[in-house]
Amino acid sequence: MTDTNKKMSLTGLTTLVTVNMMGSGIIMLPTSMAQLGTVSLLSWIVTAVGSMAIAYCFSQCGIFCLRSGGLSAYTEEAHAKSGFFLCSYLYFLSLAIANVAVAISAVGYMTSFMPWLGSGAIPLFIGTVGLLWITTVANFGGPGVTGKIGAITVWGVIIPVAGLSLIGWFWFKPDLLIAAWNPYHLPISEAISKAIPLTLWAFLGMESAAQASDAVENPTRTVPLACLFGTLGAAVVYVLSTTVIQGIIPNAELANSSAPFALVYAHMFNPTVGHIIMALAVMACVGSLLGWQFTLAQTAKMTADQGMFPKLFCKVSARNAPIVGMLVCGVLQTLMALSTISPNASAQFGKLVSLAAVTNLIPYVTAATGLLVMMYKAKVSASVYTRNTLLLVVAVAYSLYALYACGKDAVFGGILVLVFGYLLYGFLAKRFVDVPVPVSPRADNP
């Protein structure tokens, strides 16, 4: 008999999902959203609904598809081997882009300790690349070390952000929020669309929610509910924290800040508290980056194990760390940081967020649509099929809207890398073709 006391409850899994999602995604968002005005807060509603639908679809995929591969395995259910490759390829790129954005967030917060980092494009680039390589090398110790560090550092962002959601209201001034409503007089629909990539950025990573199904009580009930409640919990914290900060700091000042949460705590208390929050944010970004660097290398390794990425990504050290793959990933991220170089951390962050969202959304759509085939194979009841299909339609509709909202430059960049992916798979496809065995001609054949 299985000892259910050793398995995770609904409350435990919901907490885990919320903590995993929050990471460092929120760190620079108040500055980016302030550049549109407080009208951008409306985009949280749209993204929260869409993200909950996506999270639910992934939770169902995790129940019906038990083999390894995550999003790529879900995609293969409906889109065959080429789908597996393209999903892995795009997800790999999205993680690499996101890592550069996280590094930029950390450097933005470090400028108060090291003002030189904020003095121009080259110092910002040097700081970003330095962090990328420090976290790459730190992963050489293997997954055990990475996991322990990440479990501690993630609280560096959760504590100040959740704390602001609770106590910030004592300093909140509605007049500031109202005055910053729509400084550029944009149509409401346009303002929401422009903010969608920013709010979606905070929810990226929800695809990991279904990975703990083997370690929870009653997974067919617990996993879907935890995905929904965890996503909802993160949404509540995001909405409250970004709302309250815009009612404490004047919009023009917030829009030009490279460390918005440090700024608001310095305003609420004193500069010393602001510096403490800044240090916590840097710690959280570095810890988050450490974990995502390992995830990036593991994604490449998993795809290489399937014969779809170069074999060098398969090599692991005695501590089970794919060091060669990590070094290649480090070079790739360095080139990405160079290609988006900017003297303004927020401007560079915004470019990367949109491109990361596009390269993440396409795998979201391909993986979620695999649920239709999984349900067919599992012969689910009509009520389950109808419910899941309706939520799948909501998830895909939001994903398409979010792709549109990312802007033509980001979508164009995403299309280019997608088309290049088809070229790459063309060279690989012969590995997965069953070559028929030649049949000897019959002796009586004239």
Side-chain angles (χ1 to χ4, degrees):
M1 181 181 292
T2 304
D3 186 358
T4 57
N5 291 327
K6 293 182 180 180
K7 293 203 169 188
M8 194 177 295
S9 66
L10 174 60
T11 302
L13 186 60
T14 300
T15 302
L16 179 66
V17 170
T18 305
V19 168
N20 283 346
M21 283 182 57
M22 287 185 67
S24 60
I26 189 72
I27 287 293
M28 285 290 287
L29 278 189
T31 292
S32 300
M33 295 182 73
Q35 293 168 5
L36 293 169
T38 52
V39 66
S40 61
L41 296 171
L42 296 176
S43 68
W44 281 122
I45 300 171
V46 180
T47 295
V49 172
S51 296
M52 288 175 68
I54 293 170
Y56 177 82
C57 289
F58 289 158
S59 72
Q60 292 295 294
C61 288
I63 291 171
F64 292 118
C65 181
L66 301 179
R67 61 195 181 89
S68 62
L71 298 186
S72 301
Y74 305 160
T75 297
E76 188 178 356
E77 290 287 325
H79 305 287
K81 279 291 182 184
S82 62
F84 188 106
F85 169 78
L86 290 167
C87 182
S88 296
Y89 162 74
L90 288 173
Y91 188 61
F92 171 80
L93 288 178
S94 74
L95 291 182
I97 297 165
N99 283 352
V100 179
V102 171
I104 290 168
S105 297
V107 173
Y109 273 76
M110 289 169 66
T111 52
S112 291
F113 303 111
M114 303 172 65
W116 175 78
L117 291 172
S119 62
I122 299 301
L124 178 60
F125 169 76
I126 292 172
T128 300
V129 172
L131 271 183
L132 289 170
W133 279 103
I134 288 171
T135 51
T136 295
V137 174
N139 266 303
F140 290 179
V145 175
T146 300
K148 289 175 182 176
I149 295 174
I152 297 171
T153 57
V154 71
W155 293 98
V157 67
I158 292 175
I159 290 172
V161 173
L164 183 66
S165 302
L166 296 174
I167 66 173
W169 301 101
F170 292 105
W171 289 266
F172 182 77
K173 296 177 181 178
D175 292 346
L176 279 179
L177 188 76
I178 294 170
W181 172 248
N182 194 355
Y184 299 104
H185 308 291
L186 297 172
I188 300 297
S189 60
E190 184 179 344
I192 292 174
S193 293
K194 286 181 177 294
I196 287 293
L198 301 173
T199 51
L200 174 62
W201 164 258
F203 286 97
L204 297 183
M206 59 188 162
E207 66 276 358
S208 63
Q211 302 305 311
S213 58
D214 290 341
V216 299
E217 300 170 5
N218 190 10
T220 55
R221 173 183 178 273
T222 302
V223 170
L225 289 177
C227 286
L228 292 175
F229 292 156
T231 304
L232 181 61
V236 169
V237 173
Y238 290 154
V239 172
L240 291 178
S241 62
T242 51
T243 300
V244 73
I245 198 172
Q246 296 197 60
I248 298 175
I249 305 297
N251 190 70
E253 186 179 353
L254 185 61
N256 290 304
S257 173
S258 62
F261 283 97
L263 176 66
V264 72
Y265 273 93
H267 183 90
M268 290 161 52
F269 297 103
N270 55 58
T272 301
V273 175
H275 279 86
I276 292 171
I277 297 300
M278 210 170 290
L280 286 173
V282 172
M283 179 186 79
C285 283
V286 172
S288 175
L289 189 56
L290 189 71
W292 284 113
Q293 289 282 23
F294 197 87
T295 302
L296 176 66
Q298 285 296 115
T299 299
K301 180 183 179 302
M302 174 200 73
T303 312
D305 288 340
Q306 297 283 333
M308 298 185 188
F309 270 16
K311 291 183 179 179
L312 61 88
F313 286 106
C314 296
K315 299 177 181 178
V316 295
S317 67
R319 295 187 177 183
N320 201 31
I323 293 177
V324 176
M326 288 176 180
L327 292 173
V328 175
C329 293
V331 172
L332 173 64
Q333 291 170 102
T334 300
L335 294 174
M336 287 180 174
L338 181 62
S339 67
T340 59
I341 194 168
S342 167
N344 185 290
S346 179
Q348 189 175 4
F349 178 82
K351 290 179 184 177
L352 290 165
V353 163
S354 294
L355 188 55
V358 169
T359 50
N360 225 314
L361 282 165
I362 297 173
Y364 279 4
V365 171
T366 60
T369 51
L371 180 59
L372 296 170
V373 176
M374 295 178 208
M375 291 191 295
Y376 174 77
K377 289 181 178 178
K379 295 182 172 59
V380 299
S381 65
S383 60
V384 170
Y385 188 89
T386 301
R387 180 190 68 212
N388 287 357
T389 301
L390 286 174
L391 285 165
L392 172 64
V393 170
V394 173
V396 173
Y398 169 76
S399 298
L400 293 174
Y401 172 62
L403 280 169
Y404 166 79
C406 286
K408 59 182 180 181
D409 289 343
V411 173
F412 180 68
I415 290 174
L416 286 179
V417 296
L418 175 61
V419 172
F420 184 68
Y422 274 104
L423 171 64
L424 293 178
Y425 186 74
F427 287 105
L428 298 172
K430 60 181 179 292
R431 301 180 185 178
F432 310 105
V433 175
D434 293 327
V435 180
V437 178
V439 178
S440 299
R442 290 178 52 180
D444 58 350
N445 190 34

Short mmCIF file of all heavy atoms in Angstrom, two decimals, residues 294-322:
data_model
loop_
_atom_site.label_atom_id
_atom_site.label_comp_id
_atom_site.label_asym_id
_atom_site.label_seq_id
_atom_site.Cartn_x
_atom_site.Cartn_y
_atom_site.Cartn_z
N PHE A 294 20.45 25.63 -15.69
CA PHE A 294 20.48 24.16 -15.67
C PHE A 294 19.32 23.60 -16.50
O PHE A 294 19.49 22.62 -17.24
CB PHE A 294 20.40 23.64 -14.23
CG PHE A 294 20.82 22.21 -14.11
CD1 PHE A 294 22.16 21.88 -13.93
CD2 PHE A 294 19.90 21.19 -14.20
CE1 PHE A 294 22.56 20.55 -13.84
CE2 PHE A 294 20.28 19.86 -14.11
CZ PHE A 294 21.62 19.54 -13.92
N THR A 295 18.13 24.22 -16.38
CA THR A 295 16.97 23.77 -17.16
C THR A 295 17.25 23.90 -18.65
O THR A 295 16.87 23.03 -19.45
CB THR A 295 15.73 24.61 -16.80
OG1 THR A 295 15.49 24.50 -15.39
CG2 THR A 295 14.51 24.14 -17.56
N LEU A 296 17.92 24.98 -19.05
CA LEU A 296 18.27 25.18 -20.44
C LEU A 296 19.16 24.05 -20.95
O LEU A 296 18.90 23.45 -22.00
CB LEU A 296 18.99 26.52 -20.59
CG LEU A 296 19.53 26.88 -21.98
CD1 LEU A 296 18.39 27.09 -22.96
CD2 LEU A 296 20.39 28.15 -21.91
N ALA A 297 20.20 23.72 -20.18
CA ALA A 297 21.12 22.65 -20.57
C ALA A 297 20.42 21.29 -20.58
O ALA A 297 20.68 20.45 -21.45
CB ALA A 297 22.32 22.64 -19.64
N GLN A 298 19.52 21.08 -19.61
CA GLN A 298 18.79 19.82 -19.55
C GLN A 298 17.82 19.67 -20.72
O GLN A 298 17.61 18.57 -21.24
CB GLN A 298 18.02 19.72 -18.22
CG GLN A 298 18.91 19.43 -17.01
CD GLN A 298 19.57 18.06 -17.10
OE1 GLN A 298 20.80 17.95 -17.19
NE2 GLN A 298 18.78 17.02 -17.09
N THR A 299 17.21 20.78 -21.14
CA THR A 299 16.32 20.74 -22.31
C THR A 299 17.11 20.33 -23.55
O THR A 299 16.65 19.51 -24.36
CB THR A 299 15.67 22.13 -22.53
OG1 THR A 299 14.90 22.48 -21.39
CG2 THR A 299 14.78 22.12 -23.76
N ALA A 300 18.30 20.90 -23.70
CA ALA A 300 19.16 20.53 -24.83
C ALA A 300 19.58 19.07 -24.74
O ALA A 300 19.59 18.35 -25.75
CB ALA A 300 20.39 21.44 -24.87
N LYS A 301 19.89 18.61 -23.53
CA LYS A 301 20.31 17.22 -23.34
C LYS A 301 19.18 16.25 -23.68
O LYS A 301 19.38 15.24 -24.36
CB LYS A 301 20.77 16.98 -21.90
CG LYS A 301 21.22 15.54 -21.62
CD LYS A 301 21.60 15.34 -20.18
CE LYS A 301 22.04 13.89 -19.93
NZ LYS A 301 20.99 12.91 -20.29
N MET A 302 17.97 16.57 -23.20
CA MET A 302 16.81 15.71 -23.47
C MET A 302 16.57 15.60 -24.97
O MET A 302 16.29 14.51 -25.49
CB MET A 302 15.58 16.31 -22.78
CG MET A 302 14.28 15.59 -23.10
SD MET A 302 12.84 16.63 -22.75
CE MET A 302 12.93 17.80 -24.10
N THR A 303 16.71 16.71 -25.69
CA THR A 303 16.50 16.70 -27.13
C THR A 303 17.63 15.96 -27.84
O THR A 303 17.40 15.24 -28.82
CB THR A 303 16.38 18.14 -27.66
OG1 THR A 303 15.47 18.88 -26.83
CG2 THR A 303 15.86 18.16 -29.08
N ALA A 304 18.84 16.13 -27.33
CA ALA A 304 19.98 15.41 -27.90
C ALA A 304 19.84 13.90 -27.68
O ALA A 304 20.23 13.10 -28.54
CB ALA A 304 21.28 15.92 -27.29
N ASP A 305 19.31 13.51 -26.53
CA ASP A 305 19.09 12.08 -26.25
C ASP A 305 18.12 11.46 -27.25
O ASP A 305 18.16 10.25 -27.50
CB ASP A 305 18.54 11.90 -24.83
CG ASP A 305 19.59 12.16 -23.77
OD1 ASP A 305 20.79 12.10 -24.08
OD2 ASP A 305 19.21 12.42 -22.60
N GLN A 306 17.26 12.28 -27.82
CA GLN A 306 16.31 11.82 -28.84
C GLN A 306 16.91 11.84 -30.24
O GLN A 306 16.23 11.55 -31.22
CB GLN A 306 15.05 12.71 -28.82
CG GLN A 306 14.26 12.67 -27.52
CD GLN A 306 13.43 11.42 -27.39
OE1 GLN A 306 13.03 10.82 -28.37
NE2 GLN A 306 13.17 11.01 -26.15
N GLY A 307 18.20 12.25 -30.33
CA GLY A 307 18.87 12.31 -31.62
C GLY A 307 18.54 13.54 -32.42
O GLY A 307 18.73 13.57 -33.64
N MET A 308 18.06 14.61 -31.76
CA MET A 308 17.62 15.81 -32.48
C MET A 308 18.50 17.03 -32.25
O MET A 308 18.32 18.04 -32.93
CB MET A 308 16.17 16.13 -32.09
CG MET A 308 15.19 15.05 -32.46
SD MET A 308 13.50 15.55 -32.10
CE MET A 308 12.63 14.01 -32.40
N PHE A 309 19.38 16.99 -31.27
CA PHE A 309 20.37 18.03 -31.05
C PHE A 309 21.74 17.38 -31.15
O PHE A 309 21.86 16.16 -31.03
CB PHE A 309 20.19 18.67 -29.68
CG PHE A 309 19.25 19.87 -29.64
CD1 PHE A 309 18.38 20.13 -30.68
CD2 PHE A 309 19.25 20.74 -28.56
CE1 PHE A 309 17.51 21.22 -30.65
CE2 PHE A 309 18.39 21.83 -28.52
CZ PHE A 309 17.52 22.06 -29.56
N PRO A 310 22.80 18.16 -31.37
CA PRO A 310 24.15 17.58 -31.43
C PRO A 310 24.48 16.74 -30.20
O PRO A 310 24.06 17.06 -29.08
CB PRO A 310 25.06 18.81 -31.51
CG PRO A 310 24.21 19.86 -32.16
CD PRO A 310 22.83 19.61 -31.64
N LYS A 311 25.23 15.65 -30.40
CA LYS A 311 25.53 14.72 -29.31
C LYS A 311 26.34 15.35 -28.19
O LYS A 311 26.34 14.83 -27.07
CB LYS A 311 26.28 13.51 -29.88
CG LYS A 311 25.43 12.62 -30.77
CD LYS A 311 26.20 11.40 -31.24
CE LYS A 311 25.33 10.50 -32.11
NZ LYS A 311 26.08 9.30 -32.59
N LEU A 312 27.01 16.46 -28.46
CA LEU A 312 27.81 17.08 -27.41
C LEU A 312 26.95 17.50 -26.22
O LEU A 312 27.43 17.60 -25.09
CB LEU A 312 28.59 18.27 -27.97
CG LEU A 312 27.82 19.46 -28.57
CD1 LEU A 312 27.45 20.49 -27.52
CD2 LEU A 312 28.63 20.10 -29.68
N PHE A 313 25.64 17.75 -26.46
CA PHE A 313 24.74 18.12 -25.36
C PHE A 313 24.44 16.94 -24.45
O PHE A 313 23.95 17.12 -23.33
CB PHE A 313 23.42 18.68 -25.91
CG PHE A 313 23.54 20.07 -26.47
CD1 PHE A 313 23.51 20.28 -27.84
CD2 PHE A 313 23.67 21.17 -25.64
CE1 PHE A 313 23.60 21.55 -28.37
CE2 PHE A 313 23.77 22.46 -26.16
CZ PHE A 313 23.74 22.65 -27.53
N CYS A 314 24.70 15.72 -24.91
CA CYS A 314 24.42 14.51 -24.12
C CYS A 314 25.45 14.26 -23.03
O CYS A 314 25.18 13.57 -22.05
CB CYS A 314 24.36 13.28 -25.02
SG CYS A 314 23.03 13.27 -26.23
N LYS A 315 26.65 14.78 -23.21
CA LYS A 315 27.74 14.47 -22.30
C LYS A 315 27.51 15.08 -20.92
O LYS A 315 27.18 16.25 -20.81
CB LYS A 315 29.06 14.98 -22.88
CG LYS A 315 29.42 14.34 -24.22
CD LYS A 315 30.70 14.95 -24.78
CE LYS A 315 31.05 14.33 -26.14
NZ LYS A 315 32.27 14.94 -26.72
N VAL A 316 27.67 14.24 -19.89
CA VAL A 316 27.51 14.72 -18.52
C VAL A 316 28.76 14.38 -17.70
O VAL A 316 29.48 13.43 -18.01
CB VAL A 316 26.27 14.12 -17.83
CG1 VAL A 316 24.99 14.59 -18.53
CG2 VAL A 316 26.33 12.60 -17.80
N SER A 317 28.98 15.17 -16.65
CA SER A 317 30.13 14.95 -15.78
C SER A 317 29.78 13.89 -14.74
O SER A 317 28.67 13.35 -14.69
CB SER A 317 30.50 16.25 -15.08
OG SER A 317 29.46 16.64 -14.19
N ALA A 318 30.74 13.59 -13.86
CA ALA A 318 30.52 12.61 -12.79
C ALA A 318 29.40 13.07 -11.85
O ALA A 318 28.76 12.25 -11.19
CB ALA A 318 31.82 12.41 -12.01
N ARG A 319 29.15 14.37 -11.80
CA ARG A 319 28.08 14.92 -10.95
C ARG A 319 26.78 15.13 -11.72
O ARG A 319 25.90 15.86 -11.28
CB ARG A 319 28.54 16.23 -10.32
CG ARG A 319 29.71 16.07 -9.35
CD ARG A 319 30.01 17.37 -8.64
NE ARG A 319 31.08 17.21 -7.67
CZ ARG A 319 31.52 18.17 -6.86
NH1 ARG A 319 30.97 19.38 -6.94
NH2 ARG A 319 32.50 17.96 -6.01
N ASN A 320 26.70 14.51 -12.90
CA ASN A 320 25.49 14.55 -13.71
C ASN A 320 25.18 15.95 -14.25
O ASN A 320 24.02 16.31 -14.45
CB ASN A 320 24.28 14.02 -12.93
CG ASN A 320 23.16 13.57 -13.86
OD1 ASN A 320 23.41 13.13 -14.98
ND2 ASN A 320 21.92 13.71 -13.41
N ALA A 321 26.21 16.74 -14.48
CA ALA A 321 26.03 18.08 -15.05
C ALA A 321 26.46 18.08 -16.52
O ALA A 321 27.59 17.66 -16.82
CB ALA A 321 26.85 19.10 -14.27
N PRO A 322 25.61 18.52 -17.43
CA PRO A 322 25.98 18.57 -18.85
C PRO A 322 26.87 19.78 -19.13
O PRO A 322 26.46 20.76 -19.74
CB PRO A 322 24.62 18.68 -19.55
CG PRO A 322 23.74 19.36 -18.56
CD PRO A 322 24.21 18.92 -17.19
#
